[in-house]
Amino acid sequence: MKYLKRLLLPVLVSLSIISGCAVNKSSVGGFNLISVSEEQQLGDKFAVEVEKQHKVIRDPEVQAYIDGVGKRLLTGVRKQDFPFTFQVVQDESVNAFAIPGGHTYVNTGLIKAASSETELAAVMAHEMNHVVARHSTRQMTQQYGYSLIVSLLLGGQSGELSKLAADLFGKAGGMYYSREMESQADYLGVETMYKAGYNPEGMVSFFKKLDAAEERQPSTIARYFSSHPETIDRIKDIQKEIAQLPLKSWPPESNSQFNRIKAKVQKL
């Protein structure tokens, strides 16, 4: 199979360039030169570098809480090709990010900015669905080329791996997806929240909050929105999707645990 892939690589790359980053919003499938097992290997390598470059919060209560939110969201995803992990990192920007293979990181700044667990879950659901739809390896292949990815998988260019991790997932960087990919992550994120028992209106309320904060404090918000669709259009699209979901009566949300974790994070 590996020989066949090498033989067909020029054709596959040509197809990738022709297809670009075209995304069918309602489908998690898509052309990808990287296999699921290769993506898992790549993600594990990136995770080592990411955790060198970010301070991971080791508080047992914070870890147990973010694990619980993540695992609840996993009950609502369309498919789970990867063993997702969840961690909180010390970073005041309002953001979360997920790397290939399902390693998901939540910034302390996001927990501080959210008003409820549902708002926190909204951003996590969005990022997790980038992994579900395998956006990162599709984007990386487009941006850096298949040969570099293969080299990283084979263990070569260790310095390149560290640099790429910093560029894509470090404090000064960020994974920049196409607008179509961002829209799909919103679309799937709403669906994931609904199926996992989170009111997807939490995504609307939080993104409205970010839109307002973007004008007041662009330095803390800009990285999150820099490659996303226009915020107002994005919110409208989310609202349209929510309107198409079966009506559901959402009970009042209890945020006692979230508030306790938020208070702890604010003291860090």
Side-chain angles (χ1 to χ4, degrees):
M1 183 63 188
K2 289 183 180 179
Y3 173 77
L4 182 61
K5 182 182 278 190
R6 288 197 298 270
L7 187 66
L8 295 176
L9 181 58
V11 176
L12 294 174
V13 171
S14 296
L15 286 172
S16 176
I17 292 171
I18 292 170
S19 64
C21 292
V23 173
N24 178 353
K25 190 160 65 172
S26 63
S27 172
V28 295
F31 182 79
N32 198 325
L33 289 169
I34 309 300
S35 70
V36 169
S37 62
E38 287 172 335
E39 182 165 336
Q40 180 66 61
Q41 292 174 51
L42 186 63
D44 291 345
K45 289 176 180 288
F46 273 131
V48 173
E49 297 300 324
V50 165
E51 290 168 33
K52 290 177 184 175
Q53 298 169 16
H54 292 77
K55 180 183 177 182
V56 177
I57 304 303
R58 302 296 182 186
D59 183 278
E61 187 179 16
V62 173
Q63 182 58 53
Y65 175 75
I66 211 68
D67 268 338
V69 177
K71 289 175 180 176
R72 179 176 170 183
L73 285 168
L74 285 175
T75 66
V77 299
R78 289 199 180 185
K79 65 175 184 175
Q80 189 179 340
D81 289 327
F82 307 103
F84 277 77
T85 62
F86 306 93
Q87 291 180 290
V88 176
V89 293
Q90 184 76 55
D91 190 320
E92 292 308 296
S93 60
V94 181
N95 205 0
F97 61 98
I99 68 177
H103 300 278
T104 305
Y105 300 91
V106 176
N107 288 3
T108 50
L110 172 59
I111 296 174
K112 293 178 183 181
S115 298
S116 65
E117 181 175 306
T118 297
E119 289 189 347
L120 170 64
V123 181
M124 290 178 64
H126 172 94
E127 297 301 329
M128 289 165 64
N129 275 290
H130 278 308
V131 175
V132 170
R134 303 189 61 210
H135 288 159
S136 56
T137 45
R138 292 180 66 187
Q139 187 74 12
M140 287 170 62
T141 304
Q142 287 282 330
Q143 188 171 347
Y144 296 100
Y146 178 74
S147 59
L148 175 61
I149 307 303
V150 171
S151 175
L152 296 177
L153 287 168
L154 293 175
Q157 304 185 51
S158 58
E160 188 66 32
L161 177 68
S162 179
K163 180 180 183 302
L164 195 58
D167 289 345
L168 296 176
F169 314 112
K171 292 190 176 184
M175 189 75 182
Y176 295 107
Y177 297 106
S178 69
R179 289 188 171 225
E180 291 81 6
M181 288 178 176
E182 294 290 5
S183 293
Q184 185 181 38
D186 283 344
Y187 176 88
L188 295 173
V190 166
E191 179 185 84
T192 293
M193 292 183 71
Y194 183 89
K195 290 181 176 179
Y198 285 110
N199 186 345
E201 287 290 347
M203 186 176 287
V204 175
S205 66
F206 192 65
F207 289 170
K208 283 182 176 179
K209 181 185 298 182
L210 288 184
D211 184 37
E214 185 180 17
E215 296 182 7
R216 298 194 308 271
Q217 299 173 295
S219 62
T220 61
I221 306 297
R223 184 170 63 176
Y224 187 82
F225 276 107
S226 59
S227 62
H228 286 216
E230 290 295 329
T231 311
I232 299 301
D233 292 338
R234 182 182 182 192
I235 291 171
K236 288 179 180 177
D237 287 342
I238 293 169
Q239 290 173 321
K240 287 178 184 177
E241 184 189 352
I242 292 173
Q244 294 175 12
L245 294 169
L247 289 175
K248 190 172 183 178
S249 178
W250 300 97
E253 185 174 11
S254 172
N255 281 303
S256 57
Q257 189 179 16
F258 168 79
N259 289 334
R260 186 168 65 253
I261 296 301
K262 181 173 179 176
K264 177 170 280 194
V265 167
Q266 286 173 331
K267 294 178 182 178
L268 294 174

